[in-house]
Amino acid sequence: MISLLLIPASLLIFLVFGMPLIRYVWLSFHASSVITGLIPIPNNGGNWIRLINDLRFWQDTIQTIRFSFVSVTIEIVLALFIALILDQSCKGRGVVRSLTLLPWALPTTIMALGWRWIFNTPYGPIDQLLNHLNIGSLNILSSPNLTWIATVIADVWKTTPFVALILLAGLQTIPEDLYEAFRLEGGTPIQALTKITIPLLKPYIFLGILFRMAQAFGVFDLIQVMTGGGPASSTESIAMYAYINAMRFLDFGYSATVMLGGFILLIISSFTCFILVYHSTNVQEKITS
Amino acid sequence: MSLILKNLGRKVNHSWIIHKLNLKVDKGECLALLGPSGCGKSSTLRLIAGLDKPDEGSILIGGEDVTNISPVKRKVGMVFQSYALFPHLSVAANLSLGLKVRGVSEVEQKKRVFAILELMKLEKFAIRLPAQLSGGQRQRVALARALLRDPLIYLLDEPMSNLDAQLREDLRPEIRTLILGGNKPVIYVTHDQHEAMAMANKIAILNEGVLEQVGTPKELYENPSSLFVAKFIGRPQINIIEERKEELKCIRPEDIKFKSNGLRAKLEYKEWLGSEQLILFKTSKGSIKMLCKGSDEIPEDAYIGWAQDKEHYFNKKTGYRVNKLLKY
Amino acid sequence: MKSIIKLFIPAILLTIFTITSILAINNRPTEINILMPAPFADSTSILVNEFNKQYLGQIKLNVIRGPLETESVSDLAISSLLLDKGSFDVLLMDVTWLPKYAAAGWLKPLDYLITKEDLDSLAPGAEIGNTYNKKLYRWPLVADMGLLYWRKDLMTSPPKTPQELLKVSRELQKKGLVKYGYVWQGRQYEGLSCVFLEVLKGFGGEWISKNDEVGLNSPSSIKAASWLKELITSQASPLAVTNYSEPEALQAFESGDAAFMRNWPYAWSELQKKGSSVQGKVGVTTMVSEPGQENTATQGSWGFSILKHTDNPEAALKAINFLSSETSQKYLSLNNGYTPTRKSLFNDQELINNSPILPVLEDALNSAVPRPITPLYAQISDVLQRQLSSLLTDEVTAIEAMEYAQLNTEQILISTGKLQ
């Protein structure tokens, strides 16, 4: 009976998720570009061989993983901090909560444009401030070693509220009397955080990581607008490379391959992340008598 | 070792939820805080534990003023209504966490946790998570945690309200042997008068943050100092027989007897409860409840009465007792 | 008898109604849908209304207002061409899209629709970039080319050679007259390829020659790349140009912080607006070149293409002819500062009065060079952008950058079979 009720939902998932995936897999085994007149011609895994040997794809992979891991890590830590503050009851809490969510509600392209101007040399506020303090220009968007940090900052600014919201929901499921019981036992607030809050938030932290990893791995508009993938391609992501292949180069076969390659790497990365976090926060002590 | 509350008061949103509360609980004594929900009994417990700060008055444990002392230093063993077990920790870890944060050595931790598990017959469940336990087992873990604390006083906040009737009966002796009758004061919050009378040797009745009466269960039953107490203690509720100018005349249902020259009464309905039965009569003085033996024959028309020394009089306005103490 | 007539009245009315309905259906005007980037859709709206008035009942022209950004318009067009072949009849196209779209088979050749007279009316330079494989696919609406903006208040005449540009920049900076010498588009994007093409030609280099040979690792190309790098190392250009696109360069120049700027003609009217610190102090010329080399301007124009699947190419052509007519182009030039593509308009006194730089624009158009015409242009431009960006941000040397670019470009072109 239950399985019968699941049919419409499964069908929907298959249509919106399964079908395109199958189509991509099929396309990744075909050459389909301007050269073939956009007619798919089987090429015996040629796209995949090209992908494995494509230094640019691997460079983008490293950059995407770097971007994802660093921004998701910072976001989780910051979001926990923010969620703990937002969880305190105080006057005007509702207003503060809504305000915190504002960056997340902003369209990515608009906020990316905003950050591009913030980091602008010499007219952006950061540069103005640095010049005022006689430190000199940072030129963060002109340095292949630093630009990715600027994109991480923008991403953290935008999506931390989202993670904070998830963690806040988690915090509110923890009954107050657990903390009281712990206080009576002599636990300090910091111990309460490490021994009660974080372990009990674990499912929510996982959820946040999972959501954010999937999003960060597919980062596109933020970087496209902020840096266009530059300088020296130092911020190009896998999603951007797939997009360029499809929409600029009209090489749909290879674009599908890049996309799938990224998808496989996303699954691996998320899984790794999951395992790492699971082990590092697994404070459950089992004493057998 | 005793617990003294002096003139204790707490305000929430500018109104007193506890006001001028004076109580003394000696070692080995179990005081039940009884009252309807919202009467301030749990708030009192939180003040004693140190989870909230009083706006007025002081708390003394063993003669020492602990009003401004942190909860942990008060050394209270508290059992929460929800048990407040850490859901992510096994039973053993739940018990040892407190010892750990208080810096007890690992060997000592194991020893004491093991001992308490054995005492509570919980050895089998040591590595289970709270979610894998029954309600009664969780309750025992919560008790075990309070015992392990080796406290100066015990605070039990409706410890059995989440259990079914059968389990409560089963657990009462356990609580009694483990916690009560020791040499420590125990405060037991409940809204169930049966439980209070069964467990406590002293009952304090709270009404809207104010102490109505404190005494042994027998004292409260026999000589309630106010109509509120009279209504709260004793089931079925006391009958209000007559309204006079300034007083209310009340008789307990169990003190009503058949009396041939008494008040004429018409049977309205009856509830047969086995050993006894509850009867509702309609009389010229309104409805009167009567409790009699289960074996008694109840006629449709009867004459009822009571001994005059069973009459309780209360002031109509203040609700306070006006007649002398009765002797049962 | 009367009752019989009465009976017939509804029948007669019904017949009349049916006939008129059928006539109405047959008379429904042909609909032509044009996709344009938002700024063009806005600037042509009055012309479109006029067209619809003129062709009332025959042709109904609808303009679909696309996104603001060039590449986003391309994305929209490509998505619609891939998914739904019936959305648009006409597309306003950037010059670089043409070979790709033509190779994909999305465009209709216009040769049989356009007369020799029409072709002759185009200004020299405006005819570039409309053909692929010797077939005409696009009809130009607006000419666009790279220009060098200079400050009349700081010098009497603009520099002619790259060395001069650098020298004058440094001198003005040392005197404290400007913060920066020369601002341009150094971000890793199409604009960087445009900047480089002008410099490359100025040094006598070739991106891809007429014989399809890649010339990026030639000594002149390396010199050109080195010069761009030198602009930054000598501090004539700020390091920040490596993330500058047109708006950033314009801002620096508009606020009076720079002596020179490379930009498109649209910047001129922006610089004359209120709030510009350099209003009336700006001169326009073509990009500098080595002695003996020609000054060139990267061509970047917009024009109409008819999509292959359209049912009404004749109606579409009428719309195109109307929108790109002399009258229309004059209107667009007067109201929006668009550079015309018709020869005659460059001698129009009214237009010259309105835009004193028109003669310069004509010269620039005359010396306009197209970016390589190949369906794989996006790929080879991407390669060049990556290497130039790496060079400008100190990741590689000029020789390395140009050798990589040479190699990668050759590899890409081999796949088309054009290179062996």
Side-chain angles (χ1 to χ4, degrees), chain A residues 177 180 185-186 195 285, chain B residues 46 72 82 88 100 102 145:
Chain A
D177 54 12
E180 293 176 342
E185 295 270 1
K195 299 214 181 293
E285 294 147 64
Chain B
R46 292 176 59 85
V72 60
S82 64
H88 57 298
K100 196 171 164 186
R102 289 198 299 277
R145 191 168 64 183

Side-chain angles (χ1 to χ4, degrees), chain C residues 34-35 73 77 81 89-93 97 101 303-305 307:
Chain C
I34 303 190
L35 174 65
V73 180
L81 284 163
D89 302 284
V90 178
L91 185 61
L92 185 58
M93 297 228 303
W97 305 349
Y101 279 52
F304 293 111
S305 288
L307 298 177

Side-chain angles (χ1 to χ4, degrees), chain A residues 175 177-188 191 195-196 199-200 283-289, chain B residues 46 49-50 71-72 78 80 82 84-88 90 92-93 96-98 100-102 127 145 149:
Chain A
D177 54 12
L178 292 188
Y179 293 108
E180 293 176 342
F182 191 63
R183 245 171 94 197
L184 294 181
E185 295 270 1
T188 62
Q191 284 172 326
K195 299 214 181 293
I196 300 177
L200 286 178
V283 296
Q284 181 168 330
E285 294 147 64
K286 290 187 175 171
I287 298 172
T288 44
S289 51
Chain B
R46 292 176 59 85
V72 60
M78 186 154 170
F80 287 80
S82 64
L85 300 180
F86 307 117
H88 57 298
S90 67
S96 61
L97 184 62
K100 196 171 164 186
V101 297
R102 289 198 299 277
I127 57 164
R145 191 168 64 183
R149 181 76 178 85

